[in-house]
Amino acid sequence: QLQLVESGGGLVQPGGSLTLSCTASGFILDSYAIGWFRLAPGKEREGVSCISESAHSRTHLASAKGRFTISRDNAKNMIYLEMNSLNVEDTAVYYCAAIRVVNERYCPESGNRYDYWGQGTQVTVSS
């Protein structure tokens, strides 16, 4: 009933940009904090960034700071991850996840705390 669906992944050349979308359904997005995560082959899942109920954002991944921007549009039930200056190390499956808010600033880094997950969208950065 509670679903998240990612889209916007694909093949992009190094230095390029890509914006991922996450569409929520079955719940009121306003009441949830949203995180973006990624999983690359042979690596542990990484928390990329999160955005709180009050739309305050936090970038967890040091390599993403200054390059990735998370945003949300509650009226459209959508969350976005804008990615710029992509490099091959950004190649991964990207997931959005939702967690019920504890307070308006709640924005956890750990994926284990999140309740709902999308199926992921593949981002491949290659020449």
Side-chain angles (χ1 to χ4, degrees):
Q1 185 176 1
L2 304 176
Q3 295 182 345
L4 297 167
V5 179
E6 301 93 338
S7 62
L11 177 64
V12 63
Q13 295 184 354
S17 299
L18 205 61
T19 298
L20 307 181
S21 299
C22 175
T23 302
S25 63
F27 62 99
I28 301 173
L29 184 60
D30 306 54
S31 301
Y32 289 78
I34 307 296
W36 280 100
F37 299 84
R38 70 184 188 184
L39 181 63
K43 298 183 68 177
E44 301 256 317
R45 181 179 62 197
E46 298 177 305
V48 177
S49 62
C50 66
I51 187 163
S52 71
E53 180 188 17
S54 60
H56 291 119
S57 63
R58 179 160 67 115
T59 301
H60 308 302
L61 191 62
S63 64
K65 292 182 177 179
R67 299 192 299 126
F68 292 6
T69 302
I70 188 172
S71 61
R72 65 191 296 165
D73 187 339
N74 291 342
K76 296 181 178 179
N77 265 24
M78 296 189 72
I79 311 93
Y80 307 95
L81 182 66
E82 181 185 352
M83 304 184 294
N84 299 308
S85 301
L86 288 163
N87 55 63
V88 295
E89 288 75 30
D90 296 315
T91 296
V93 178
Y94 284 73
Y95 300 87
C96 62
I99 183 170
R100 298 177 185 177
V101 300
V102 175
N103 56 64
E104 65 179 6
R105 297 183 297 176
Y106 191 56
C107 202
E109 179 177 359
S110 175
N112 294 332
R113 296 180 180 270
Y114 286 76
D115 300 308
Y116 307 103
W117 292 79
Q119 85 288 352
T121 185
Q122 176 73 50
V123 173
T124 302
V125 185
S126 176
S127 299

